[in-house]
Amino acid sequence: MNTVHDNLITIKNEIHKIALDCDRDPNTIELIAVSKTKPVTLIAQAIEAGQLSFGENYVQEGVEKIAYFKQNMPDTPITWHFIGPLQSNKSRLVAENFDWMHTIDRFKIAQRLDAQRPANMDKLNVLIQVNISNEESKSGVQADEVVDLIDQIITLPNLRLRGLMAIPEIENDFAKQLEVFKRMSELLASLKTDYPFLDTLSMGMSGDMPAAIVAGSTMVRIGSAIFGARQYV
Ligand SMILES: *Cc1c(COP(=O)(O)O)cnc(C)c1O
């Protein structure tokens, strides 16, 4: 038993309880443990506690960790999610190492990932990042640009478009968090008419997970509540 183990149990219980309280099936919400800046020893503790999905923000750091676990725990089926901003000159490392890419915000990146995805790997699962709070500083496409990007991405044979992702402006009030997350779930619901294969909404972090689940998130990305506060972001 250790802190990571206990934190994971606490978070999973919380996800379970929030889901039941809002009439959702807890199994439709996947927990991504965000391990950015955290050492492989803590990731190993999470794996020991049964956690197999991890999110990383920095390409080089993520690739090193993936290589470490491939070497040291080759039989453990870990799923790696890239959740950070991606410069196009680093796209190959994502294409060759990760299972999911959450932050597609332009066709050029999607094209590169498609071209660089090795033939012997499964398709790369991708999400379109939506700038749902309309902040100048944050990345992501505007809601009204999503359809055009979908139509481009679905032409790419080595990517599997799964849905949408958002990192809303930090907001402490539950009702305000909920309002923003609901815009995301309404957007996904409206897209499903023409694109019924879209099944994923990646939203919710340590500070706003309950509102994200109530609004319909299917993937919560939780870092500090599992691994503790980070030294740098
Ligand atoms: C760091 C990060 C998280 C996790 O944040 P916490 O507040 O530590 O839970 C989730 N998503 C993204 C995109 C992040 O960069």
Side-chain angles (χ1 to χ4, degrees), residues 200-220:
T200 303
L201 253 188
S202 166
M203 56 189 200
M205 310 185 6
S206 297
D208 56 14
M209 185 184 83
I213 293 173
V214 172
S217 173
T218 69
M219 266 184 189
V220 290

Side-chain angles (χ1 to χ4, degrees), residues 32-36 55-58 82-85 102-103 129 165-167 202 204-208 220-230 233:
I32 313 294
V34 176
S35 43
K36 64 181 178 208
E56 287 286 336
N57 285 60
Y58 308 102
F82 187 77
I83 63 172
H102 288 227
T103 54
Q129 183 176 1
M165 178 269 203
I167 311 171
S202 166
M205 310 185 6
S206 297
D208 56 14
V220 290
R221 310 178 309 265
I222 307 299
S224 43
I226 296 172
F227 295 110
R230 287 176 296 275
V233 180

Side-chain angles (χ1 to χ4, degrees), residues 34-201:
V34 176
S35 43
K36 64 181 178 208
T37 82
K38 298 298 180 180
V40 291
T41 49
L42 290 189
I43 298 176
Q45 289 178 10
I47 293 170
E48 193 68 27
Q51 179 65 28
L52 290 172
S53 295
F54 293 91
E56 287 286 336
N57 285 60
Y58 308 102
V59 183
Q60 199 58 46
E61 178 189 337
V63 166
E64 282 166 22
K65 290 173 178 171
I66 292 168
Y68 174 89
F69 285 99
K70 227 181 226 169
Q71 171 131 41
N72 292 281
M73 302 179 78
D75 299 325
T76 305
I78 305 173
T79 302
W80 293 97
H81 296 251
F82 187 77
I83 63 172
L86 182 61
Q87 293 169 283
S88 51
N89 63 358
K90 302 228 175 103
S91 62
R92 178 177 297 279
L93 288 169
V94 171
E96 292 180 347
N97 289 282
F98 283 84
D99 305 292
W100 284 74
M101 158 62 177
H102 288 227
T103 54
I104 302 266
D105 59 359
R106 54 201 192 278
F107 186 50
K108 184 185 165 199
I109 282 282
Q111 277 180 304
R112 290 179 64 95
L113 292 167
D114 175 67
Q116 293 164 341
R117 185 69 169 172
N120 65 346
M121 290 179 82
D122 290 340
K123 293 184 187 200
L124 179 65
N125 294 290
V126 301
L127 302 174
I128 293 174
Q129 183 176 1
V130 181
N131 183 349
I132 200 67
S133 314
N134 276 314
E135 268 183 295
E136 296 284 322
S137 59
K138 286 275 168 68
S139 37
V141 300
Q142 299 300 315
D144 61 5
E145 299 167 339
V146 171
V147 167
D148 284 346
L149 189 51
I150 291 178
D151 286 335
Q152 292 178 305
I153 292 175
I154 58 177
T155 66
L156 302 172
N158 301 317
L159 303 188
R160 181 177 289 128
L161 181 64
R162 298 294 296 271
L164 307 176
M165 178 269 203
I167 311 171
E169 201 171 343
I170 291 174
E171 170 62 69
N172 294 319
D173 180 61
F174 178 88
K176 287 182 182 156
Q177 293 173 351
L178 188 62
E179 183 193 314
V180 175
F181 286 137
K182 277 192 169 160
R183 289 212 296 274
M184 284 294 291
S185 54
E186 282 159 16
L187 177 60
L188 185 76
S190 72
L191 293 167
K192 274 185 178 173
T193 312
D194 287 333
Y195 310 98
F197 53 88
L198 298 176
D199 61 4
T200 303
L201 253 188

